[in-house]
Amino acid sequence: MEGVLAVGGGFATIMFVVWALLHSILRWREITRDTRIMTQLAAQVRSGEEVATFLESPSAHALFDRTVDRRTLVLERMLRALQSGVVLVVMGIAIFVIRTQFTDDEALAALVFGTLSLALGAAFLLAGGLTYVLSLRWGLLKES
């Protein structure tokens, strides 16, 4: 049984590292693209009056609204918390179900890990729900 747990833990660790690496690469590409756009915009501006005129234009408002969309940021964080919460709760339940197949010491370890998984999952679900309620109250989720 220890071999199965070791293989499962190793697989989970490798998957987390792969996910973190891919997430970092995608985020780096997004930041690079935004930086390139801003650099090109800065190269086109020659005086303070041109900057003021550009910033007041509808195209500048559309560009900055796309760059910093508070609604999308709030929804992404909320969904990420809810996804993590669901995965951890399901994992905790699965650990509790398979706990009956273990010996005394292994069953105790499974109980600890299952409880931690359920607690973290419930915390993520609560955080996602609280984010939603507060975002509604603060007006962050209103349609523009």
Side-chain angles (χ1 to χ4, degrees), residues 11-66:
F11 179 74
T13 302
I14 290 170
M15 293 306 298
F16 176 74
V17 169
V18 168
W19 172 83
L21 184 65
L22 289 175
H23 181 62
S24 298
I25 289 170
L26 291 174
R27 183 72 181 128
W28 175 77
R29 290 179 69 192
E30 183 179 333
I31 290 170
T32 303
R33 185 201 66 215
D34 290 347
T35 303
R36 191 176 328 119
I37 290 171
M38 292 301 172
T39 303
Q40 290 173 353
L41 283 174
Q44 299 296 322
V45 177
R46 293 181 180 79
S47 68
E49 293 173 1
E50 288 182 7
V51 171
T53 304
F54 171 72
L55 290 176
E56 293 174 358
S57 70
S59 59
H61 288 284
L63 174 68
F64 290 118
D65 284 344
R66 266 193 321 235

Side-chain angles (χ1 to χ4, degrees), residues 50-128:
E50 288 182 7
V51 171
T53 304
F54 171 72
L55 290 176
E56 293 174 358
S57 70
S59 59
H61 288 284
L63 174 68
F64 290 118
D65 284 344
R66 266 193 321 235
T67 304
V68 182
D69 184 11
R70 292 182 302 178
R71 186 173 193 274
T72 302
L73 292 174
V74 168
L75 289 174
E76 282 178 2
R77 287 186 176 194
M78 184 177 57
L79 287 175
R80 197 171 297 134
L82 293 174
Q83 287 172 339
S84 300
V86 168
V87 167
L88 286 169
V89 165
V90 169
M91 187 173 77
I93 291 170
I95 290 172
F96 280 136
V97 169
I98 65 170
R99 180 174 60 103
T100 60
Q101 305 299 316
F102 297 138
T103 62
D104 291 336
D105 290 338
E106 293 169 341
L108 181 61
L111 177 67
V112 170
F113 285 118
T115 303
L116 288 174
S117 179
L118 278 174
L120 282 172
F124 274 115
L125 291 173
L126 182 63

